[in-house]
Amino acid sequence: MSELPKGYEPTDVEKSWYQAWLKAKCFEADPESEKPPYSIVIPPPNVTGILHLGHVLNNAIQDILARRARQKGFEVLWLPGTDHAGIATQTKVERQLRDEEGKTRRDIGREAFLEKVWDWKEKHGGIIIQQLKRLGCSCDWERERFTMDEEYSKWVSSVFSDLFKEGLIYRGKRMVNWCPVSLTALSDEEVIPKKQNSKLYYMKYELVETPGKFLEVATTRPETLMGDVAVAVNPKDARYGKYVGQMVKRPFPHAEIPVVADDHVDPEFGTGALKITPAHDKADFEIGLRHDLEIINVFHADATVNCAEVPELDGLDRFAARKKSAEMLDEMGLLIRVEEHENNVGFSERADVPIEPRISMQWFLKYPASEEAARAVAEGEISYRPARWAKTHGSWMDGIQDWCVSRQLWWGHRIPVWYRKEKVEELKAAESLTLANLSAGDLHVSADPPADPENWVQDPDVLDTWFSSWLWPFATMQNLDEESDLVKKFYPTTDLVTGPDIIFFWVARMIMAGYRFKGKLPFKNVFFTSIIRDLQGRKMSKSLGNSPDPIDLMDQYGADGLRFGLMRTAPIGADLRFDESQVEEGRNFANKIYNACRFRRMAGSDSRADFKAASSENLRPYHLDILAKCDDLAANQEKAYAEYRFNEIGQQLYDFLWSEFCDKFLEAVKGDLRTEASEAQRATTLGVFDAVMARYLQYLHPYMPHLTEELSLRMGYVSEGEFVMEKELPEEGLLTGVNTSDIETGQEQASAVYEAAAKLRNLKAEYRLAARKDVRFIAKTGPAWLQEEASTLALLSSSQEVTHEENYLPEQGTPGVVTPVGEIFMPLDGLIDLEAEKTRLNKEIEKIEKEVSKSKGKLSNEKFVANAKAEVVEAERARLSEWEGKLSQVQEMRKNLT
RNA sequence: GCAGGAUUAGCUCAGUUGGUAGAGCGACUCGUUUACACCGAGUAUGUCGGCGGUUCGAGUCCGUCAUCCUGUACCA
């Protein structure tokens, strides 16, 4: 074993440990194992995705849980994989096709296009996986899955076919959310409402029977006017009752349309009259149904105007058409005024353009097992953390709507439905290919294609990506129609770690699918991570360029530094504002631990010192103290893990190592390691160091896996070929068997010395003697054991010596301080600026007087004394007398100065 | 509109049965004594968003207002 280099350089260390873990198959789950199971399935990132900080946080948490579970003796399966991400991936490849070849997907055809997507997937699909490995994720890569794997796809088709046979999947012409850029229908969840500053156009329709008289309406969408088929008013609205049943003139294209009465209309809004365009608005569509109105579609699929009768508008984009329509109305004298108006507009999640309500033929799913799923979360059978998300989940389940599962895309799972060829031609022309029009013999719905494919045509649509993801917890573990050891051992999974933004998309749906298809809920706990924002509180996004590249951060600070920094500050249940200095802290922390070990190596024997060999009688207070605190740490970690308080776990690890172990313990025992110390002293201290550090590295391992492996090996805490990650946490405390009262005494003495040392340092600093090492301290009072610890106290206060002299008579004006080890004086030997000292003391007196009067006030409050707990009152009394003592002492010093 | 969350030191955040306000970063002052300047020692900084209530006592419980998030429902 060689000496350690001066600074910790994570890059190579992390790389080589990851390789070592892989080589030793540390991440592989064994379904045959006798150990109890622990499992997580990864929320599959988009196959073409690039790692961002959200992924880092999410996967760091999963890795921490997985590694901790291994240490606790579980057989762990962390099952990784990627999602084909229909729209996102298809859009990327289409863009590439356009940029490189100037072609659209239709130019090259479905088959050729899909080939291109698969090529892209092969080329870029591994990037995010490599990045997760860089982060140190201990996934079972042998079991990596992809939502479009052959076996996985069988599950998707089979589930579709089952649900169809159950009558839960149907096809129909409905008003759906249409994305005019992606040219596909979307589910309600993929529509993001955004507040928009729109305009409200007030316009008028002339009444047919009384020319010159008009009915005024208000609309935000004058460009749909060509599709108007009625004007609706509220039946209770006295102003308009007389017009119901009359006709009004639609200006372009010219037509006469009726005035109808409908409860939906709000008399308070606008003019109280609403123009009805059933083809382009969900509410209008329903009103249209109630009044049996015609449906006139005036847009193409890409939301350009499709209306040959109005050539001024025909072919225009919807927003251009909006402006133009308003102008045309104005010219005709039909536009009254335009008001600013804030409204909500639904945007397409992927393309970020307003969605267009559109009537089209789509496949829908009535959710299976929705009641059972809702109950499981409401009653806590699945626990949500933070718990409040359960409520969000519940309210979505309450208003659950059928799921539009068909997408007019090419990249995805093809809908497993075939139509008999001859039927298709006739029905397609009429756009009336409804199931009602097909007899059972004309339709083939199955996971397997028909035996005579030449006579059939498959439905051209693919399924929503989430229609495959919702099967993820079990479809990754088991092939269809095949018993698997994996699913027996590891399903249901233990924890799911994901973002609250996909509760509806994914979590809620997985619960229903798990219940329906495996008869068991898919997981026990769901942990929702923070959403990461920048320092201005904005969401991380590519377009804002405010999203730091985690790979850069890892290059700079190490994967362990990134993980630790992020985890230590990530709040539970609130957003996280990302600050790079947090990551820097993580790196500094790694370096601190590394250097503590380096110190140990320089101080003594190369091999691990055996702590048990040293009898506990040799243990000094500092030894007992750090051993006890290490045992406390273990208990506190246990508690914090039980509640998934990851920031607290990190903070505990940080405080223990930095404040307790380095700042106190190591400083206190440095004397034991000097050359003049006895061999026994040295051996004991090294033994305690190794015992504590070896354990500490195990506790830290889930947060900083690479560093802990590196140091454990270098320090001889594990032997070559052994891994910290595979070592179970010991159940016995370090101090098991040691007399409890000995421990208590030791800890009391240690903390008394630490506290006294701090006071002495303060005293030096107050007199601007912080850097002086020739300062001598004299303790006038103190416990019997002070003599033994005086040299340590001197060491900790970087003074020349601390002596214990009962008979010491301080000269007038000698500063002193009351410490837990007695009253200690600091003879000045006359090198202090008198005036500065006076000012300082005056200030001090003022401060103390304030505290004294505050405390007195409290104690003279009868109700306080009567009602407060005895120990609280006692503590207050002690505080008061302490302040009073100090006050008289300082006053004395002040007097002596003059 | 409704629901949930947040508001604590200049910044990022802790503060779990109500009982002397904490950490890290940053600022300032000292310091390179062989673990670490990715360090050590020290100092300063808080009407705990505002107002009201319960209580002997409130950052903590209740009410209310304000600001900011996040969902969700909608009126065109």
Side-chain angles (χ1 to χ4, degrees):
Chain A
M1 269 180 290
S2 55
E3 190 175 296
L4 303 179
K6 192 167 175 192
Y8 177 55
E9 290 298 338
T11 315
D12 293 338
V13 170
E14 291 179 349
K15 225 167 260 171
S16 72
W17 277 108
Y18 203 84
Q19 287 312 311
W21 288 325
L22 285 177
K23 203 173 153 204
K25 301 186 183 304
C26 293
F27 305 158
E28 272 183 42
D30 175 13
E32 309 287 326
S33 165
E34 298 288 312
K35 295 178 182 177
Y38 176 91
S39 54
I40 305 187
V41 289
I42 204 169
N46 290 356
V47 68
T48 58
I50 303 286
L51 195 76
H52 57 68
L53 279 173
H55 291 123
V56 172
L57 179 65
N58 183 281
N59 287 288
I61 290 172
Q62 292 177 69
D63 195 44
I64 285 165
L65 289 171
R67 287 177 184 274
R68 175 78 178 179
R70 288 190 193 97
Q71 294 182 313
K72 298 289 283 182
F74 289 89
E75 183 64 25
V76 171
L77 169 66
W78 181 10
L79 211 163
T82 48
D83 192 302
H84 67 281
I87 300 184
T89 307
Q90 173 162 328
T91 308
K92 265 186 198 169
V93 178
E94 282 187 280
R95 191 179 310 137
Q96 186 199 28
L97 187 63
R98 195 185 57 215
D99 292 350
E100 289 177 7
E101 303 178 33
K103 289 181 183 161
T104 69
R105 70 180 210 248
R106 286 172 214 285
D107 291 339
I108 66 170
R110 188 162 190 150
E111 227 166 280
F113 180 75
L114 285 179
E115 233 170 80
K116 281 206 181 295
V117 187
W118 278 106
D119 285 350
W120 172 286
K121 187 251 171 191
E122 292 312 319
K123 214 165 143 193
H124 302 271
I127 294 178
I128 195 154
I129 297 298
Q130 287 313 312
Q131 291 177 319
L132 289 173
K133 290 179 178 172
R134 173 76 194 277
L135 188 61
C137 294
S138 58
C139 304
D140 187 347
W141 297 111
E142 295 300 312
R143 296 197 161 89
E144 186 184 334
R145 298 286 188 265
F146 176 52
T147 49
M148 278 176 58
D149 284 344
E150 201 183 329
E151 290 300 331
Y152 197 103
S153 300
K154 283 185 190 164
W155 265 111
V156 176
S157 304
S158 154
V159 159
F160 183 98
S161 149
D162 285 357
L163 291 170
F164 176 81
K165 281 166 189 154
E166 208 178 315
L168 294 176
I169 283 185
Y170 60 92
R171 189 169 191 250
K173 226 175 174 178
R174 295 284 186 293
M175 180 68 85
V176 295
N177 308 298
W178 183 262
C179 175
V181 169
S182 312
L183 300 179
T184 177
L186 301 174
S187 66
D188 295 342
E189 289 69 35
E190 288 162 288
V191 178
I192 313 296
K194 291 190 185 179
K195 281 215 165 37
Q196 296 289 302
N197 295 317
S198 308
K199 289 185 165 52
L200 190 58
Y201 299 85
Y202 286 79
M203 50 166 290
K204 54 190 182 180
Y205 284 123
E206 188 170 20
L207 287 150
V208 175
E209 287 163 42
T210 46
K213 286 202 79 172
F214 296 88
L215 189 57
E216 293 180 6
V217 301
T219 179
T220 51
R221 302 203 62 192
E223 74 276 19
T224 62
L225 190 141
M226 301 82 80
D228 283 6
V229 291
V231 172
V233 297
N234 192 293
K236 294 188 193 80
D237 194 331
R239 292 173 296 174
Y240 299 123
K242 58 191 169 207
Y243 301 129
V244 174
Q246 292 193 24
M247 303 297 273
V248 295
K249 287 183 185 166
R250 183 181 67 199
F252 49 86
H254 218 76
E256 293 183 359
I257 58 176
V259 178
V260 300
D262 196 284
D263 285 328
H264 172 79
V265 181
D266 176 4
E268 304 291 316
F269 187 87
T271 64
L274 171 64
K275 74 184 196 67
I276 304 299
T277 323
H280 299 290
D281 183 279
K282 214 174 170 186
D284 288 9
F285 178 71
E286 280 156 23
I287 293 174
L289 285 180
R290 286 199 281 275
H291 299 272
D292 199 22
L293 300 170
E294 192 188 353
I295 296 169
I296 305 173
N297 187 340
V298 297
F299 287 145
H300 289 110
D302 63 356
T304 55
V305 174
N306 176 19
C307 185
E309 294 141 286
V310 186
E312 297 97 314
L313 295 174
D314 194 33
L316 285 184
D317 176 76
R318 53 189 164 156
F319 303 109
R322 181 174 303 171
K323 251 179 112 176
K324 184 70 185 166
S325 304
E327 282 169 25
M328 288 165 66
L329 284 169
D330 200 18
E331 282 163 20
M332 296 165 90
L334 296 174
L335 186 67
I336 302 162
R337 64 178 188 280
V338 181
E339 280 179 4
E340 294 296 320
H341 176 66
E342 192 190 66
N343 64 347
N344 267 340
V345 177
F347 276 65
S348 155
E349 190 204 16
R350 287 286 163 200
D352 199 34
V353 293
I355 62 111
E356 198 57 53
R358 185 166 201 255
I359 295 160
S360 76
M361 184 66 78
Q362 302 290 345
W363 289 92
F364 296 89
L365 166 68
K366 272 192 217 309
Y367 286 100
S370 57
E371 278 176 36
E372 292 88 338
R375 203 180 316 126
V377 174
E379 293 176 2
E381 198 177 337
I382 291 178
S383 69
Y384 275 20
R385 294 163 199 276
R388 63 190 150 84
W389 291 115
K391 211 176 160 183
T392 305
H393 178 267
S395 66
W396 184 74
M397 294 299 299
D398 283 346
I400 199 162
Q401 301 283 316
D402 291 354
W403 176 10
C404 176
V405 294
S406 46
R407 296 288 178 274
Q408 287 64 56
L409 303 172
W410 289 351
W411 176 242
H413 300 96
R414 190 92 174 249
I415 289 181
V417 173
W418 287 261
Y419 310 100
R420 194 169 283 285
K421 222 172 204 168
E422 59 262 32
K423 273 281 179 187
V424 170
E425 300 307 323
E426 52 181 283
L427 294 174
K428 207 175 173 186
E431 245 205 63
S432 58
L433 187 69
T434 63
L435 299 183
N437 293 335
L438 294 168
S439 59
D442 297 329
L443 191 68
H444 176 92
V445 182
S446 164
D448 304 307
D452 50 341
E454 63 281 3
N455 296 322
W456 298 83
V457 178
Q458 187 172 8
D459 193 294
D461 290 351
V462 300
L463 288 161
D464 182 1
T465 298
W466 299 103
F467 193 87
S468 57
S469 325
W470 76 326
L471 313 176
W472 188 250
F474 55 87
T476 47
M477 289 191 195
Q478 178 188 22
N479 292 342
L480 188 63
D481 304 326
E482 209 177 279
E483 271 308 297
S484 108
D485 294 341
L486 204 61
V487 85
K488 263 190 235 160
K489 177 86 182 171
F490 293 109
Y491 186 90
T493 62
T494 318
D495 290 319
L496 176 75
V497 180
T498 191
D501 49 333
I502 53 175
I503 291 183
F504 311 143
F505 280 117
W506 196 46
V507 182
R509 288 168 177 166
M510 274 193 290
I511 297 172
M512 292 187 270
Y515 192 87
R516 167 64 180 74
F517 295 103
K518 289 306 292 177
K520 280 183 199 156
L521 301 167
F523 28 73
K524 298 185 189 83
N525 305 298
V526 184
F527 182 85
F528 291 106
T529 60
S530 312
I531 291 171
I532 300 187
R533 299 175 176 281
D534 68 6
L535 284 173
Q536 281 85 51
R538 301 173 303 180
K539 249 184 173 172
M540 298 273 174
S541 83
K542 251 187 244 160
S543 54
L544 280 173
N546 60 351
S547 173
D549 180 357
I551 299 297
D552 287 348
L553 291 170
M554 283 191 264
D555 287 343
Q556 228 177 318
Y557 304 111
D560 288 345
L562 174 61
R563 290 166 63 125
F564 193 87
L566 211 52
M567 291 309 302
R568 189 164 81 96
T569 41
I572 298 185
D575 292 354
L576 164 73
R577 293 195 185 209
F578 179 75
D579 187 344
E580 193 169 322
S581 70
Q582 296 159 355
V583 182
E584 196 180 335
E585 244 170 71
R587 176 204 54 182
N588 294 354
F589 184 53
N591 191 55
K592 184 76 180 176
I593 304 164
Y594 176 86
N595 268 290
C597 288
R598 182 163 174 267
F599 171 67
R600 156 70 181 87
R601 169 57 39 75
M602 291 165 85
S605 72
D606 263 7
S607 58
R608 176 176 181 172
D610 193 352
F611 150 69
K612 290 280 178 196
S615 93
S616 66
E617 285 151 38
N618 292 338
L619 294 176
R620 299 182 64 206
Y622 320 102
H623 298 137
L624 286 166
D625 184 56
I626 199 66
L627 289 163
K629 279 177 176 153
C630 187
D631 286 348
D632 290 345
L633 175 67
N636 293 334
Q637 291 274 289
E638 194 64 42
K639 268 187 242 164
Y641 269 111
E643 294 172 33
Y644 297 75
R645 300 177 68 97
F646 297 104
N647 52 353
E648 194 173 312
I649 296 167
Q651 188 65 36
Q652 285 174 10
L653 290 164
Y654 189 90
D655 287 343
F656 176 83
L657 192 283
W658 208 304
S659 313
E660 300 301 335
F661 191 81
C662 291
D663 290 350
K664 292 186 186 143
F665 170 71
L666 274 192
E667 293 303 326
V669 298
K670 266 183 181 169
D672 295 350
L673 301 175
R674 298 233 165 106
T675 40
E676 67 269 21
S678 78
E679 200 43 53
Q681 266 177 311
R682 171 193 294 273
T684 305
T685 294
L686 292 180
V688 170
F689 182 109
D690 288 338
V692 172
M693 184 56 79
R695 287 233 171 156
Y696 177 77
L697 292 174
Q698 278 192 279
Y699 301 145
L700 178 65
H701 178 264
Y703 278 63
M704 299 188 130
H706 312 89
L707 173 75
T708 50
E709 290 284 10
E710 173 75 4
L711 287 177
S712 296
L713 179 63
R714 291 254 205 167
M715 300 299 288
Y717 302 154
V718 296
S719 41
E720 195 78 41
E722 267 188 310
F723 294 93
V724 177
M725 76 164 285
E726 293 191 322
K727 252 177 91 175
E728 288 192 19
L729 291 170
E731 296 198 356
E732 273 206 346
L734 287 165
L735 282 173
T736 308
V738 178
N739 190 313
T740 315
S741 69
D742 287 353
I743 299 171
E744 277 171 16
T745 310
Q747 285 206 272
E748 275 164 25
Q749 292 180 1
S751 75
V753 171
Y754 292 140
E755 210 177 303
K759 292 209 162 172
L760 297 185
R761 286 192 302 257
N762 279 343
L763 197 58
K764 283 175 68 184
E766 275 176 33
Y767 286 83
R768 309 197 139 258
L769 297 170
R772 300 276 287 262
K773 288 176 199 67
D774 51 355
V775 174
R776 291 166 51 241
F777 287 108
I778 301 167
K780 189 168 158 56
T781 60
W785 54 264
L786 177 57
Q787 203 65 50
E788 285 167 57
E789 306 305 334
S791 62
T792 303
L793 194 51
L795 187 67
L796 290 173
S797 57
S798 47
S799 54
Q800 193 177 327
E801 60 173 358
V802 178
T803 54
H804 190 180
E805 301 172 27
E806 297 280 353
N807 302 323
Y808 172 65
L809 286 174
E811 275 179 44
Q812 283 200 338
T814 303
V817 61
V818 177
T819 76
V821 298
E823 189 176 11
I824 300 182
F825 291 92
M826 180 173 72
L828 286 177
D829 300 332
L831 280 167
I832 300 294
D833 178 345
L834 276 185
E835 282 312 308
E837 181 57 11
K838 274 186 211 164
T839 325
R840 192 188 67 80
L841 288 176
N842 287 339
K843 253 174 142 177
E844 181 93 14
I845 288 168
E846 222 172 275
K847 201 173 126 192
I848 297 173
E849 278 173 342
K850 236 189 209 166
E851 292 294 337
V852 167
S853 81
K854 207 165 130 188
S855 193
K856 272 186 177 164
K858 214 168 174 181
L859 284 166
S860 63
N861 179 338
E862 284 168 28
K863 288 183 176 172
F864 169 70
V865 178
N867 296 337
K869 282 184 210 147
E871 61 258 37
V872 173
V873 179
E874 206 39 59
E876 190 60 45
R877 289 217 176 92
R879 198 175 306 139
L880 175 61
S881 73
E882 195 181 316
W883 281 119
E884 280 175 339
K886 196 163 179 187
L887 181 61
S888 62
Q889 188 190 345
V890 176
Q891 278 168 338
E892 182 75 11
M893 284 163 63
R894 174 72 185 78
K895 214 161 47 179
N896 291 336
L897 272 183
T898 47

